[in-house]
Amino acid sequence: MSIKAIAILTVVSGLAGCAHEVPISSQSGAAEVMSTKVSQQKAYLVFSSNLMTASKEVKPGFACGAHSFPMAIGDALKSSITRTVGAAYPHSLSTGSAIPSTADGLIFKFDLSDFDPTIRFAPGFLVPTADANVEIAVQARVADKTGKELITTTFHGHGHASEDGACGIGADALGDAAKKAIQDAMENFVDKVINTGALDTVATTVSK
């Protein structure tokens, strides 16, 4: 097949648009949890509805512009946070969006502040290059069993990935970027919440 024919097929592929669902996998920041921060007290995880249902339909610019990439990140984000908190609090329990009325442990509340996935296609000799970026930000609030707030912070994650191929390859690039963004966010969460000393006094009081 001539280079001219390949170029024509690439253009036709770009015009024949369709939706490519982005695969997003759960990650964990468990490896970053300091052994001295592991606690046997109970912990309840509460997630806002906008975090659990977070999704966006990502559209590129002119190149591959007829294509779209639906991204549903909510389940993977919720699962990643649950796994990460569980590494520090083995007796943690997710309550969905319901705040426990009679909590006998810490209450972690998570709310999605930002989810910004983007993708652009750069022309190549034979096939375009998909360049994907994903930014996420989650607000975390931790309170003791009396409702007293101990920590309020926002942790962030960024991921970037590039893939060469036809327009559909953008789903893989976005999926890889999302994976890296979630992993980055989980490690940032552990640094800003789990590994700090803000929860140590609570753990000490419970253990007595």
Side-chain angles (χ1 to χ4, degrees):
M1 184 180 292
S2 68
I3 293 177
K4 182 178 180 181
I6 294 174
I8 292 173
L9 285 175
T10 301
V11 171
V12 172
S13 174
L15 293 175
C18 59
H20 309 273
E21 189 170 347
V22 178
I24 304 176
S25 59
S26 172
Q27 304 300 310
S28 173
E32 304 301 317
V33 175
M34 296 170 58
S35 60
T36 55
K37 302 301 180 182
V38 177
S39 172
Q40 297 305 312
Q41 69 173 309
K42 291 183 180 179
Y44 297 87
L45 281 60
V46 181
F47 299 92
S48 67
S49 58
N50 78 319
L51 185 149
M52 293 190 291
T53 61
S55 64
K56 278 191 177 181
E57 185 175 1
V58 188
K59 294 186 177 181
F62 177 76
C64 296
H67 294 252
S68 63
F69 303 90
M71 289 185 71
I73 200 173
D75 284 344
L77 196 53
K78 177 177 178 288
S79 174
S80 299
I81 293 172
T82 301
R83 292 171 60 191
T84 301
V85 174
Y89 296 88
H91 302 293
S92 60
L93 174 67
S94 173
T95 63
S97 60
I99 299 175
S101 56
T102 57
D104 52 352
L106 293 174
I107 302 174
F108 289 78
K109 299 177 184 177
F110 299 95
D111 184 34
L112 185 65
S113 300
D114 187 38
F115 171 42
D116 185 23
T118 59
I119 189 166
R120 294 291 180 269
F121 288 86
F125 180 65
L126 295 178
V127 293
T129 296
D131 191 67
N133 286 281
V134 174
E135 301 275 355
I136 55 178
V138 178
Q139 183 189 64
R141 290 179 292 166
V142 186
D144 64 18
K145 62 183 180 181
T146 68
K148 177 185 177 183
E149 225 167 64
L150 306 171
I151 296 178
T152 300
T153 188
T154 299
F155 57 94
H156 301 260
H158 170 260
H160 170 264
S162 295
E163 295 280 354
D164 295 332
C167 295
I169 200 68
D172 292 336
L174 280 166
D176 193 22
K179 172 183 174 181
K180 293 174 181 177
I182 294 174
Q183 182 63 42
D184 187 35
M186 294 306 100
E187 294 175 1
N188 187 234
F189 166 70
V190 171
D191 287 341
K192 299 184 76 171
V193 178
I194 302 297
N195 286 346
T196 65
L199 305 179
D200 290 355
T201 55
V202 180
T204 301
T205 302
V206 171
S207 64
K208 287 182 178 179

